[in-house]
DNA sequence: GGTTAGGCTTTG
């Protein structure tokens, strides 16, 4: 038996089968909860309403007279927005009565506003089955995170109904649950007061000398910049359906209090701004109690308020105003048709806004900072290379060739240097009014006559805030960042044929193994193999990407030591030598040949603890095989595989693994102060193969 | 409680 709760948000609705006004008493626009018993779920859902499956929900359909039904699988907290205004998110899962091709149950986010949220919080529990009507549908902003339905349902106190059914609790003769609930709810209703409404003044109706609330579409904006006074200053120009264009200035000490505007077309709502005449026009300036909320301006997108404010008013009316402004702006074509310009579409000499990820940065001088960024696309033009000292670089100082070819070096000047100082590598940015400056640079050939001028593009963010020049960190959940990530994820991280570029090689060569993960970004490319030793110890082999870094799961790093190589170009002195091999060429060019390095990371365990150790400098003597042979010689690879198999038989039990005596070196590793840790390397230890099955390494 | 800026016609 079900107890059925019918929940009406407003008496102004006429619902077939619903309670009469007498039953409800005299109430004024109040959410009402009515109980009845003995009926099945949905029994009192008005007959003119028809249920639709979650799979048919999209933003392009009208849902008048439609319902959805689902079990409450998640009930979020009741969030206080303003006096007697609330928001609550819940997730409902489709019930099985709708046959579905997929056995997977669909779930959808539901957002409740106002008193509806408050009463839902009281009346509904996780596990209840609800039927909802009178909802609108928006794009779910959390779709990529929660993988639930791409849309969400928006329910307001004025338009929506929720019908709740649940299995009744065990009967309690002293206090029937239905009665109890009714009285609890009555008390709730008597406490409810009217939500304060804000009124918004059309921009054409502004009169000087008043304090108003306004909504508008952003036509122009400057990111907050430091004023000469105590505050940051934001500058924006907005318009609305009246077509009046109004300049606004916001002074706030805290950046968080400024409007979070990402692009032209965003929608901004400001509370408590004062109107003032300047240059024969009305302007707006923030005044006491000022607050601002912004929204994305894309038609059909989720209406998600962007604010750092912990308490702000936001209800269905705001959703409506935003949506109206969005459609109006789209119909007016008043926004300059600035398509998003990725690096792949950058035109020489053009100014553009770039959405990108910061990979590394380095100060050039007091007025200039280098930002190394990418957006996952490749600029067809040769890009300016900027060489900086690795030790002044924040973030990796070099990248794989594949990645390097996608990186744009941006020089930011003057006031932007301070902003750049705060940025962290990894951050997603939008850089406004970036200039792609064509230029040429000399690339030396073997002889001076072969030097050639090569065109390149340099990226500059000029000083000042004219044209909205500036840098803004975008939140990870913004649609543009989500899109950027999708593009970036599609870029192969490491081309199999790609070798690391010279500076990366240099980095690896001169870098202790404990830092290789940082430089090679091994987290993503690591092949991890766990091999158990006797006593439950185990060993991990890190397999760096290598053409064979497949045959052999160990790893080697091929590197050229630039420190040992001279930059000068020499004439080959190969006269009289018939066989010219790579060593002769290398000598002639003053280049130290690439070398192979064997590197493994092992995790050892004895009865007391585990320990991470590297096998690096003495790796060749440990196995009795040179790294060069391992790279080129199948026999050498087999030899190592055999040794490893004897130490940790594939699929074998821990009891079969031999105990090892190893000689370790402990050392302190530092990396420009970034990390400081004790590391261990196996040293002076060789593996000897006994004719018996016992495999004991002999410490030297 | 007062101050800041008041887009722009584009340096390196």
């Amino acid at each position: 038996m079900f107890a059925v709760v019918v929940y009406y948000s407003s008496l102004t609705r006429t619902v077939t089968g619903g309670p009469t006004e007498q039953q409800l008493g005299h109430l004024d626009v109040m959410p009402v909860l009515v109980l009845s018993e003995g009926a099945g779920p949905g029994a009192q859902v008005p007959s003119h309403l028809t249920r639709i499956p979650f799979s048919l929900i999209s933003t392009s359909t009208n849902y008048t007279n439609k319902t959805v039904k689902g079990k409450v699988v998640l009930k979020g907290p009741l969030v206080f927005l303003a006096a007697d205004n609330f928001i609550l998110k819940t997730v409902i899962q489709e019930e099985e009565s709708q046959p579905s091709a997929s056995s997977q149950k669909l779930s959808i986010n539901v957002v409740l506003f106002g008193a509806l949220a408050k009463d839902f919080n009281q009346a509904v529990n996780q596990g209840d089955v609800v039927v909802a009507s009178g909802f609108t549908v928006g794009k779910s902003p959390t779709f990529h995170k929660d993988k639930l339905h791409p849309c969400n349902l928006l329910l307001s106190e004025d338009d929506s109904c929720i019908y709740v059914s649940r299995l009744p609790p065990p009967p309690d003769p002293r206090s029937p649950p239905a009665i109890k609930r009714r009285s609890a709810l009555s008390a709730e209703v008597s406490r409810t007061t009217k939500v304060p409404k804000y009124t918004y003044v059309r921009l054409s109706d502004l009169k000087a000398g008043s304090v108003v609330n306004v909504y508008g579409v952003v036509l122009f904006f400057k990111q907050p910049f430091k004023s000469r006074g105590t505050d940051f200053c934001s500058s924006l120009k907005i318009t609305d359906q009246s077509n009046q264009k109004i300049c606004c200035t916001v002074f706030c000490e805290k950046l968080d209090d400024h409007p979070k505007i990402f692009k032209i077309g965003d929608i901004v709502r400001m509370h408590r701004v004062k109107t003032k005449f300047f240059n024969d026009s009305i302007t707006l300036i923030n005044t006491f109690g000022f607050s601002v909320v912004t929204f994305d301006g894309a038609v059909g997108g989720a209406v998600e308020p962007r604010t750092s404010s912990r308490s702000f008013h936001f209800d269905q009316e705001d959703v409506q105003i935003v949506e109206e402004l969005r459609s109006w702006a789209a119909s007016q074509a008043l926004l300059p048709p600035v398509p998003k310009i990725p690096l792949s579409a950058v035109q020489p000499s053009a100014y553009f806004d770039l959405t990108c990820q910061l990979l590394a940065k380095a100060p050039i001088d007091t007025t200039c900072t280098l930002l190394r960024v990418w957006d996952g696309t490749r600029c067809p033009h040769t890009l300016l290379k900027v060489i900086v000292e690795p030790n002044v670089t924040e973030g990796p100082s070099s990248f794989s060739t594949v990645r390097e070819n996608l990186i744009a070096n941006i020089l930011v000047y003057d006031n932007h240097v301070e902003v750049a100082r705060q940025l962290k590598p990894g951050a997603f940015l939008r850089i406004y009014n970036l200039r792609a400056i064509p230029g040429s640079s000399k690339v030396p050939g073997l002889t001076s006559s072969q030097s050639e001028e090569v065109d390149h593009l340099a990226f500059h963010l000029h000083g000042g805030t004219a044209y909205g020049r500036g840098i803004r960190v975008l939140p990870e959940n913004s649609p543009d960042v989500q899109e950027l990530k999708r593009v970036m994820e599609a870029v192969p991280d490491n081309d199999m044929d790609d070798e690391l570029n010279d500076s990366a090689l240099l980095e690896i060569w001169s870098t202790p193994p404990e830092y290789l993960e940082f430089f090679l970004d091994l987290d993503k490319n690591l092949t991890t193999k766990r091999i158990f030793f006797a006593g439950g110890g185990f060993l991990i082999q890190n397999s760096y990407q290598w053409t064979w870094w497949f045959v052999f799961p160990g790893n080697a790093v091929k590197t050229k030591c630039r420190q040992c190589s001279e930059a000068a170009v020499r004439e080959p002195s190969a006269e009289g030598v018939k066989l010219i091999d790579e060593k002769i060429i290398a000598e002639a060019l003053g280049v130290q040949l690439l070398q192979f390095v064997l590197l493994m990371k092992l995790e050892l365990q004895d009865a007391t603890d585990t320990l991470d150790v590297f096998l690096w400098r003495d790796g060749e003597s440990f196995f009795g095989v040179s790294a060069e042979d391992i790279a080129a010689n199948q026999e050498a690879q087999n030899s190592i595989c055999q040794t490893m198999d004897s130490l940790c038989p594939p699929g074998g039990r821990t009891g079969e693994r031999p105990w090892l005596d190893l000689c370790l070196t402990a050392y302190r590793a530092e990396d420009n102060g970034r990390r400081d840790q004790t590391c261990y390397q196996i040293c002076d230890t060789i593996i000897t193969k006994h004719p018996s099955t016992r495999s004991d390494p002999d410490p030297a």
Side-chain angles (χ1 to χ4, degrees), chain A residues 8 10-16 18 46 48:
Chain A
Y8 291 86
S10 166
L11 274 184
T12 55
R13 293 176 60 87
T14 308
V15 182
T16 314
H48 70 284

Side-chain angles (χ1 to χ4, degrees), chain A residues 1 7 84 140 166 212 217 282 290 325 345 370 391 496 499 539 548 572 584 625 646 686 688:
Chain A
M1 189 176 76
Y7 182 157
D84 265 316
S140 170
R166 74 169 63 89
V212 294
V217 182
I282 293 266
F290 167 79
L325 275 171
L370 169 70
N391 60 3
M496 299 311 292
E499 288 184 6
L539 178 156
W548 40 268
I584 294 171
V625 180
S646 70
I686 57 171
T688 55

Side-chain angles (χ1 to χ4, degrees), chain A residues 89-154:
Chain A
K89 287 191 181 186
T90 182
V91 178
I92 61 172
Q93 188 178 68
E94 184 133 62
E95 288 285 278
E96 291 93 50
S97 63
Q98 285 287 327
S100 163
S102 156
S103 62
Q104 203 178 353
K105 289 181 189 172
L106 265 179
S107 295
I108 191 165
N109 283 295
V110 182
V111 186
L112 302 109
F113 295 93
L116 186 66
K118 195 175 176 181
D119 284 2
F120 183 94
N121 186 51
Q122 280 221 326
V124 180
N125 299 316
Q126 217 157 288
D128 288 348
V129 173
V130 294
V131 172
S133 70
F135 52 85
T136 59
V137 175
K139 216 164 119 184
S140 170
T142 54
F143 172 57
H144 293 288
K145 262 188 288 180
D146 59 30
K147 307 287 185 221
L148 300 184
H149 199 288
C151 299
N152 59 17
L153 305 182
L154 306 167

Side-chain angles (χ1 to χ4, degrees), chain A residues 658-680:
Chain A
W659 282 91
L660 303 174
D661 291 321
L662 296 168
C663 183
L664 299 183
T665 303
Y667 56 103
R668 203 81 187 148
E670 290 180 30
D671 179 27
N672 295 327
R674 190 159 40 215
R675 305 184 196 186
D676 185 14
Q677 56 180 330
T678 302
C679 296
Y680 302 89

Side-chain angles (χ1 to χ4, degrees), chain A residues 50-71:
Chain A
T50 54
R51 180 181 162 195
I52 55 157
F54 288 8
S55 57
L56 292 185
I57 291 172
S58 72
T59 51
S60 57
T61 315
N62 186 322
Y63 293 97
T64 311
N65 297 330
K66 294 281 189 291
T67 64
V68 290
K69 183 178 176 185
K71 188 158 110 185

